[in-house]
Structures are given as structure tokens and as C-alpha cells.
């Protein structure tokens, strides 16, 4: 069935627009749900530009926050606003569990043959770029500190210097459990250790801009930080460094999927294949300073050398600390509530 807008209906009734023309116009576009700001700009300027050049199809965007877009997708079940969706690996499992994704036919994504194992998230969503949350610090403000282990955050020298995100405490919660011999499934083992970290927290940042302001000003010279933010600030002249602790940096993977009920699945598969094109992957890495998710992307050596950018199987194996994505989705609300009540509010 072709959806006809009010304006198209009027033109059709007046004999000014033929039905085949409507069908062709509808078929030759695709809608993508993505975050706003620089993320939307990157998808538009790098991925969509090549997709349009290759297919002639135009790309429209539905933008919003991670949870806002999930809630909208739930309300639009069976008649999605968008054909494709970008979200994080663990939030993607909430879509997957709600049967909001199509099961991907990997034979229709030729470039996926080079996908790294760490980007194969579920039957409905696969990774398009990766990053880490790790320890970022101002060496001019914490001289002599190198952060070889996450345990160094508990040093008395870190008192009133540390910041972490208030919206997702999963990184520090799981790290605390690991330092106590546990893991994400046994996260309670790290609760006492986390309480012991309270004197070292100075602030909890609310978004990327807040994180950047706090460390650039020196108010929080040490952060549990998104690697991409740290690399961006360094490019702007801020004296910030990243450490990859021996336990690993907490991996994040942003993923793409086809929304269940999309009527433009052929174009959707072509779009995903464009996402995984090795040249597109290299361009994304250059722009965002993250890891490509295909093995045949050739990065600029300066980008490949950045901490938290993984280009070899050894780096993926030894430097990426992976929280089970499905478990993380199931525990996110519980972790956030516990962290708010026991760490932030105290």
C-alpha cells in the first residue's frame, strides 16, 4: 500500500500527479532514526551521501535521544516512523526483546563478511562503529598519575577530583565488581568498593557537553570518559590523555537495524551495506575517532594509534572490556537506581 499525503492526494485528485509517480517518490527514499547533533551530521555527510550517490534514494532523518526514540518505536509498533535505526548495543536489545527489529539476512549485506565478532550483537542489530569508556585525565593537574589499573581511581590522591556519567553508571559498577573478583552478573560484589569511592567524586556529568566542560576547566581533572570526547578535546588543544587500564576499557558499540514493518527493506539493506563499506568505516573513524567494525578498513596511522581505537584482533581481545550487551540492557535501570541512591545522593 502506498501512503499518500494530503497534498499528494489533492494533486492526484486534480490530475496533476499520477499514482505511479507517487509510488516512485515513496520508494526512492528512506527514513533513518538517529541521535541529533554531530551524530546525525556524520551519518548524513558520510554514510547517506554515498548511499544516495550509489542508489539515487534520498535519506530523511528522525532524531531524538536514545530512550525517547525507543519509546516512540514502541508506540509505533508495526508501522514504524523510520526504516532504519541507530542505537547503542545494549539499548538495541530492548528493541530486540520487544520484537521491534527485523531479523537481518546477512547474505544481503556483503560487507558484513568482514564484521568483527565483537560487532555481532543480535539477530536484529549489528555494530557500525565502536568506542570505549575509560579513564581520561589532565596530566598537568594530576602529575605523576598514569592509571595502569582501574583501581588507581581509589587512590587517596584522587580525592574530590573524579567525575562519571550520572545517566549510565554501568562502566564503574562493572569495573568495581571485576576488581572484587566478580563480573556484571555478580555486580553486587563491587558495592562496598563503590561506596569507598565516594570521597573521590567531585561531580557527575549529565551529557557529553557537560563532561567536556568539567575536564577542560579542570574542575574534574579525572573522568570516566567517552574516548571520542577526549580525542575531540585533545584536537581542540585541551591537555587530556586517555589510559587503557590492564583490565581493559569498557567497550561501547553503536548499531544499526531495520525496523520491523519497514516497507523499504531493499534500500535498508543497501544502507547497512554502505555503513560497513571499508572506506566509509575509515571516514567514520577519522571523523569520530572510534574503532571500525570491519577488518578491512584502512585507517590513517595517526587515527589508528589513538588509545581506544582498535584495528587488530589483539587489541579487540586484550583492550576491550565487554559487558554482556543483553545483560546490560536488563540491568540498566537497576544499576542507575542503585547508583543514584547509594553514590550520587550520599
Amino acid at each position: 500500500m502506498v501512503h499518500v499525503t494530503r497534498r499528494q492526494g489533492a494533486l492526484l485528485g486534480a490530475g496533476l500527479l499520477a499514482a505511479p509517480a507517487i509510488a516512485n517518490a515513496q520508494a526512492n527514499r528512506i527514513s533513518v532514526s538517529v541521535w541529533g547533533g554531530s551524530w546525525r551530521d556524520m551519518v548524513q555527510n558520510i554514510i547517506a551521501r554515498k548511499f544516495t550517490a550509489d542508489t539515487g534514494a534520498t535519506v530523511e532523518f528522525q532524531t531524538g535521544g536514545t530512550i525517547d526514540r525507543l519509546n516512540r518505536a514502541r508506540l509505533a509498533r508495526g508501522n514504524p516512523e523510520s526504516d532504519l535505526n541507530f542505537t547503542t548495543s545494549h539499548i538495541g536489545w530492548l528493541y530486540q526483546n520487544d520484537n521491534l527489529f527485523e531479523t537481518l539476512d546477512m547474505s544481503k549485506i556483503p560487507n558484513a563478511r568482514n564484521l568483527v565478532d565483537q560487532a555481532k550483537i543480535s539477530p536484529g542489530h549489528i555494530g557500525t562503529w565502536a568506542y570505549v569508556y575509560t579513564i581520561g585525565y589532565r596530566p598537568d593537574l594530576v602529575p605523576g598519575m598514569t592509571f595502569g589499573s582501574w583501581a588507581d581511581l581509589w587512590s587517596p590522591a584522587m580525592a574530590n577530583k573524579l567525575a562519571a556519567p550520572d545517566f549510565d553508571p554501568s562502566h564503574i559498577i562493572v569495573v568495581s565488581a571485576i576488581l572484587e573478583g566478580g563480573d556484571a552478573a555478580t555486580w553486587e560484589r563491587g558495592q562496598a568498593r563503590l561506596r569507598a569511592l565516594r570521597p573521590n567524586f567531585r561531580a557527575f556529568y549529565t551529557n557529553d557537553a557537560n563532561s567536556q566542560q568539567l575536564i577542560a576547566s579542570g574542575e574534574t581533572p579525572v573522568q570516566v570518559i567517552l574516548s571520542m570526547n577526549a580525542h575531540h578535546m585533545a584536537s581542540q588543544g585541551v591537555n587530556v590523555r586517555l589510559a587503557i587500564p590492564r583490565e581493559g576499557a569498557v567497550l561501547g558499540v553503536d548499531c544499526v537495524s531495520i525496523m520491523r514493518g519497514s516497507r523499504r527493506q531493499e534500500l535498508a539493506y543497501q544502507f547497512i551495506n554502505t555503513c560497513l563499506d571499508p572506506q566509509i568505516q575509515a571516514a567514520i573513524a577519522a571523523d569520530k575517532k572510534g574503532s571500525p567494525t570491519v577488518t578491512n578498513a584502512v585507517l590513517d596511522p595517526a587515527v589508528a594509534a589513538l588509545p581506544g581505537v582498535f584495528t587488530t584482533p589483539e587489541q579487540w581481545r586484550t583492550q576491550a572490556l565487554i559487558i554482556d550487551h543483553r545483560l546490560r540492557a536488563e540491568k540498566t535501570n537497576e544499576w542507575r537506581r542503585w547508583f543514584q541512591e547509594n553514590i550520587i545522593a550520599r
Side-chain angles (χ1 to χ4, degrees), residues 173 176-177 180 186-195 338:
I173 282 178
S176 297
E180 293 297 320
T186 58
W187 68 276
E188 294 90 347
R189 295 179 66 170
Q191 288 180 352
R193 175 179 279 271
L194 261 179
R195 290 189 180 98
W338 185 92

Side-chain angles (χ1 to χ4, degrees), residues 88-94 97 117-118 120-122 125 168 170-171 173-175 178 182-187 249-253 255 320-332 335:
T88 60
S89 54
H90 61 293
I91 298 300
W93 265 109
L94 298 180
N97 291 340
D117 288 342
Q118 292 84 353
K120 300 172 183 177
I121 308 299
S122 85
H125 65 305
D168 183 5
S170 59
H171 324 98
I173 282 178
V174 173
V175 162
I178 288 171
D183 56 18
T186 58
W187 68 276
V250 179
L251 183 70
V253 184
C255 298
L321 197 168
I322 301 174
I323 304 172
D324 180 86
H325 307 287
R326 189 171 193 172
L327 176 67
R328 190 174 178 183
E330 295 168 355
K331 291 290 187 181
T332 290
W335 287 345

Side-chain angles (χ1 to χ4, degrees), residues 66-267:
T66 301
I67 301 302
D68 173 61
R69 292 186 295 117
L70 170 62
N71 290 335
R72 280 160 45 190
R74 285 169 167 163
L75 290 172
R77 183 186 304 274
N79 187 29
E81 294 180 337
S82 59
D83 302 290
L84 289 145
N85 181 78
F86 284 95
T87 192
T88 60
S89 54
H90 61 293
I91 298 300
W93 265 109
L94 298 180
Y95 285 84
Q96 180 72 18
N97 291 340
D98 282 355
N99 201 30
L100 296 173
F101 289 161
E102 295 284 349
T103 297
L104 294 174
D105 181 349
M106 303 303 281
S107 70
K108 296 181 180 180
I109 313 172
N111 286 325
R113 69 172 63 96
N114 296 303
L115 202 65
V116 299
D117 288 342
Q118 292 84 353
K120 300 172 183 177
I121 308 299
S122 85
H125 65 305
I126 56 175
T128 47
W129 57 80
Y131 45 85
V132 294
Y133 271 85
T134 191
I135 301 171
Y137 63 102
R138 291 279 303 271
D140 54 326
L141 299 179
V142 286
M145 294 299 297
T146 56
F147 302 101
S149 168
W150 282 96
D152 293 332
L153 293 181
W154 277 258
S155 167
M158 293 297 99
N160 206 35
K161 290 183 172 64
L162 177 63
D166 69 353
F167 52 86
D168 183 5
S170 59
H171 324 98
I172 195 67
I173 282 178
V174 173
V175 162
S176 297
I178 288 171
L179 292 174
E180 293 297 320
D183 56 18
T186 58
W187 68 276
E188 294 90 347
R189 295 179 66 170
Q191 288 180 352
R193 175 179 279 271
L194 261 179
R195 290 189 180 98
L197 189 61
R198 285 198 301 247
N200 290 3
F201 280 115
R202 181 176 180 84
F204 299 93
Y205 60 83
T206 57
N207 53 43
D208 289 349
N210 187 207
S211 164
Q212 293 178 32
Q213 186 274 328
L214 286 170
I215 200 165
S217 68
E219 183 175 349
T220 61
V222 183
Q223 286 189 9
V224 177
I225 196 170
L226 173 62
S227 56
M228 292 173 168
N229 283 344
H231 293 317
H232 172 72
M233 286 188 291
S235 73
Q236 302 299 306
V238 179
N239 185 10
V240 58
R241 293 182 189 172
L242 283 182
I244 305 295
R246 58 175 169 266
E247 298 86 4
V250 179
L251 183 70
V253 184
D254 287 347
C255 298
V256 68
S257 56
I258 299 175
M259 298 302 295
R260 185 170 295 278
S262 166
R263 294 184 292 275
R264 291 178 281 268
Q265 292 195 30
E266 182 178 347
L267 284 175

Side-chain angles (χ1 to χ4, degrees), residues 296-343:
N296 58 336
V298 180
L299 271 56
D300 181 295
V303 175
L306 292 172
V309 175
F310 305 146
T311 59
T312 69
E314 179 69 7
Q315 287 176 316
W316 282 102
R317 186 182 67 81
T318 62
Q319 297 183 31
L321 197 168
I322 301 174
I323 304 172
D324 180 86
H325 307 287
R326 189 171 193 172
L327 176 67
R328 190 174 178 183
E330 295 168 355
K331 291 290 187 181
T332 290
N333 287 337
E334 180 182 357
W335 287 345
R336 187 183 295 119
R337 183 170 57 252
W338 185 92
F339 196 76
Q340 172 66 38
E341 293 173 356
N342 293 273
I343 306 300

